[in-house]
Amino acid sequence: MEFEGYEWDDAKAERNAETHFVTFTEAAEAIEDAILSESINEGRRSKGGELRYTAYGVTFNGRPLVVIFTVRGRNLRIISARRR
């Protein structure tokens, strides 16, 4: 999976951190790990038709996460992240 960077909605990232205690910066780390370990599954389409992916990865601090994301142009857009 080739991409240039990450993006996310700042308000959604704040809610995710408050609800699940996971930052989207940590989520990006887990996606990097999932790419290396080939632990990404293609998921369902959103109501708007976007294809969603699920990544199972570990942060630099060893925290296992499940991250939902989509591809927007050349970026990966993080939707949500939770502890695994």
Side-chain angles (χ1 to χ4, degrees), residues 1-80:
M1 179 172 279
E2 292 184 32
F3 63 98
E4 291 180 4
Y6 295 96
E7 63 181 66
W8 54 75
D9 178 274
D10 289 333
K12 176 99 171 153
E14 188 175 322
R15 283 194 310 275
N16 196 88
E18 291 170 358
T19 304
H20 302 293
F21 308 103
V22 177
T23 68
F24 279 5
T25 301
E26 289 177 300
E29 293 174 8
I31 291 172
E32 294 285 336
D33 177 64
I35 290 170
L36 291 174
S37 63
E38 299 180 0
S39 297
I40 296 178
N41 297 325
E42 189 175 302
R44 299 183 303 179
R45 292 196 178 273
S46 69
K47 290 179 183 177
E50 272 186 332
L51 186 57
R52 301 283 171 96
Y53 297 86
T54 304
Y56 302 92
V58 179
T59 67
F60 298 152
N61 290 329
R63 199 169 175 205
L65 301 179
V66 176
V67 183
I68 307 300
F69 68 94
T70 192
V71 177
R72 292 254 179 105
R74 300 279 302 146
N75 290 327
L76 302 185
R77 183 171 181 86
I78 297 173
I79 308 297
S80 69

